Amino acid sequence: MKGETLAIHGGEKVKTKSFGTGRRFGTEELKELREALEQNTLFYHTGNKVTTFLKRFNELYGIQRSVATSSGTAAIHVALGAAGVSVGDEVITSPITDQGTLIGILYQNGIPVFADLDPRTYNLDPQSVADRITPKTKAILVVHLAGSPADMDPIMAIARRHGLKVIEDCAQSYLARYKGRLVGTIGDYGCFSTNDFKHISTGDGGIVTVNSGNEEEYRMVHAFADKNYQRWQGEVFRDLDYLAPNYRMTELQGAVGIAQLKKLPDIVRQRHRYGERITEGIRDLPGILPPRLCDGGWSSYWFYMFRLDQSRLNCSREQFSEALREEGIPNHPGYIPQVVYQQPMFQKRQAYLNSDFPFDLSGRAYPGGLCPVAEHILETAIRLPVSEFFTEEDAEDVIRGIRKVAGFYTSVGSYPSGNDVY
Ligand SMILES: *Cc1c(COP(=O)(O)O)cnc(C)c1O
């Protein structure tokens, strides 16, 4: 390693051949779309594309019941509504996630409560979840980040002990497994997104699983995604007891979803292999902390995120990222810029413009240091894109790039001393 000059210092780039690419949509999607249009209706309740999409999804997941929605955010909101989350209820969740995890909590006028994370899996630390429980806690919203399953056994045990609902946010974790079980089938509800950046895309869309399989509960979830209208076998009942949004999926999305689901197992296999290969290729490197999986975890790698051990490297995270990029390896320092509670919305306790409701129902504040491990993860992480089209050669190049950059910054000069060292 030592002898090689970094590309950032004028040396040769590690990666000279471009990453594998491919087309996500083809004749299969076109055929389904044509059929959808030929039905002469695009309404989910009269056509059969959304119904078929869900049927296939249920078969793939080995479950009885699920409901389609207009987005992953909508899926989570629907699950929260069906779980009975209402004004002033607390929902414990992860501070490293997409905004879509939080939107439904606040629209139900619930209070997001953030628990800290495991430093290597980036998922909820069950002990921290237990510490955040109060008499107002209604649900735990578990995020399975980047394809990696959260440690569900202790979380389910905590939930059972306190009579809480568990909602799994699986937007980034299709077909990820925990001790042999698929994530999204373990809690009360599993929520998925088919937005254009996820393992599979219908443009936008989502799915909620109803894991109890209970007919009454299923009807409640179904209605909550459709204005609380009760549509059964061609009939519609409009006795509305409480508020629910319209989050329906259209037949066009259902049609594309049918074709995409067929590709999902392969997509996941490719991503899994790629992610695992990278971990294997960098796990012995001083200064590099590859991601870990919880016991019994199997990841479908939506992205790949490792961390730097700053005490072993003579560079900042930003310098490392830049040097790696110059080697031809695209990457980003961190994931979201900050833990979610550091955004102005939480700092001002303002969900609705010019109002402090529902935050005013709670004494909770969101100071820096609330979840120190999560904050540290985002300060020390490097994120690499993953695609099912990347090749084994791409993985080897990425490994060589990381090894070259890490090798340089562990060998030069002394360990951190100067002001520019992070
Ligand atoms: C993408 C995503 C969502 C939201 O899904 P949308 O379909 O974009 O609404 C929610 N949670 C996580 C973790 C996500 O990655």
Side-chain angles (χ1 to χ4, degrees):
M1 283 306 135
K2 253 185 196 164
E4 281 189 90
T5 309
L6 294 183
I8 204 170
H9 298 147
E12 272 180 46
K13 271 184 193 309
V14 164
K15 187 136 185 70
T16 49
K17 212 177 134 197
S18 49
F19 280 83
T21 57
R23 294 192 63 88
R24 307 176 78 185
F25 310 112
T27 50
E28 309 82 0
E29 283 79 5
L30 272 174
K31 173 180 161 286
E32 293 289 341
L33 280 169
R34 167 178 287 279
E35 285 177 13
L37 291 163
E38 284 170 354
Q39 296 178 140
N40 206 33
T41 174
L42 294 176
F43 184 43
Y44 82 99
H45 198 62
T46 40
N48 70 28
K49 291 302 179 190
V50 171
T51 305
T52 305
F53 172 55
L54 292 177
K55 191 161 168 280
R56 299 277 157 77
F57 183 88
N58 293 351
E59 285 161 9
L60 186 61
Y61 271 80
I63 57 169
Q64 297 298 314
R65 306 215 180 269
S66 59
V67 169
T69 60
S70 52
S71 71
T73 303
I76 295 164
H77 188 178
V78 168
L80 289 159
V85 170
S86 184
V87 181
D89 290 338
E90 294 185 341
V91 179
I92 299 174
T93 192
S94 170
I96 300 184
T97 189
D98 181 86
Q99 183 70 2
T101 308
L102 309 172
I103 290 170
I105 303 175
L106 286 164
Y107 268 105
Q108 284 305 105
N109 296 309
I111 309 294
V113 172
F114 297 99
D116 213 350
L117 306 180
D118 179 282
R120 300 298 293 274
T121 70
Y122 322 138
N123 283 322
L124 282 174
D125 169 4
Q127 186 54 53
S128 181
V129 171
D131 292 345
R132 301 304 205 244
I133 288 175
T134 74
K136 288 194 158 184
T137 310
K138 185 84 183 185
I140 304 172
L141 208 179
V142 182
V143 178
H144 302 287
L145 197 76
S148 170
D151 193 6
M152 290 304 287
D153 280 350
I155 292 173
M156 293 305 292
I158 293 165
R160 254 179 242 119
R161 197 152 60 234
H162 296 273
L164 309 176
K165 294 283 188 183
V166 174
I167 298 164
E168 296 178 77
D169 180 345
C170 310
Q172 304 185 358
S173 296
Y174 279 97
L175 298 181
R177 292 198 293 268
Y178 176 74
K179 299 185 178 173
R181 300 172 70 187
L182 290 167
V183 305
T185 67
I186 302 169
D188 295 279
Y189 310 102
C191 302
F192 294 80
S193 163
T194 56
N195 87 19
D196 209 44
F197 309 98
K198 300 294 155 65
H199 290 76
I200 53 169
S201 165
T202 63
D204 268 309
I207 301 154
V208 195
T209 67
V210 184
N211 294 332
S212 69
N214 177 289
E215 176 74 18
E216 205 173 315
E217 197 180 1
Y218 163 72
R219 289 189 178 206
M220 194 171 168
V221 176
H222 190 280
F224 203 89
D226 191 358
K227 311 178 194 172
N228 240 352
Y229 288 4
Q230 323 269 314
R231 293 183 207 272
W232 312 120
Q233 278 99 39
E235 291 202 68
V236 51
F237 302 94
R238 296 185 172 90
D239 298 329
L240 307 182
D241 264 0
Y242 55 90
L243 188 67
N246 171 1
Y247 285 153
R248 299 184 304 230
M249 180 179 272
T250 78
E251 288 288 280
L252 295 172
Q253 293 157 294
V256 174
I258 293 168
Q260 288 277 290
L261 268 187
K262 289 185 186 151
K263 303 176 182 177
L264 182 58
D266 268 339
I267 290 171
V268 162
R269 236 187 316 276
Q270 292 300 330
R271 286 172 171 261
H272 173 77
R273 188 183 314 166
Y274 184 85
E276 293 288 302
R277 176 65 196 115
I278 291 179
T279 293
E280 200 183 292
I282 64 173
R283 67 165 16 123
D284 62 315
L285 272 181
I288 301 295
L289 306 168
R292 279 195 198 135
L293 294 166
C294 66
D295 270 357
W298 190 98
S299 175
S300 57
Y301 294 96
W302 189 53
F303 56 70
Y304 185 95
M305 195 158 84
F306 62 95
R307 288 181 39 225
L308 302 181
D309 176 356
Q310 227 66 74
S311 71
R312 308 289 298 275
L313 293 167
N314 195 18
C315 67
S316 70
R317 189 260 303 260
E318 279 62 26
Q319 285 171 318
F320 192 102
S321 167
E322 185 60 31
L324 190 57
R325 189 172 313 116
E326 287 300 309
E327 296 298 337
I329 313 299
N331 73 90
H332 310 268
Y335 167 36
I336 50 175
Q338 292 178 305
V339 289
V340 290
Y341 58 78
Q342 276 171 348
Q343 47 181 314
M345 192 171 101
F346 286 97
Q347 293 307 308
K348 295 180 181 170
R349 292 168 34 112
Q350 173 181 265
Y352 301 94
L353 191 61
N354 300 325
S355 167
D356 60 358
F357 183 81
F359 290 113
D360 62 341
L361 302 174
S362 159
R364 299 240 178 218
Y366 300 92
L370 183 62
C371 300
V373 176
E375 292 177 19
H376 188 62
I377 289 169
L378 289 182
E379 287 160 2
T380 53
I382 302 268
R383 174 171 51 103
L384 306 170
V386 177
S387 159
E388 58 275 19
F389 299 116
F390 290 174
T391 64
E392 279 173 40
E393 193 184 338
D394 291 334
E396 299 309 317
D397 288 345
V398 168
I399 291 164
R400 280 200 297 130
I402 296 171
R403 298 193 73 88
K404 183 179 169 188
V405 173
F408 178 79
Y409 286 118
T410 44
S411 68
V412 288
S414 54
Y415 285 142
S417 54
N419 286 333
D420 64 333
V421 174
Y422 193 61

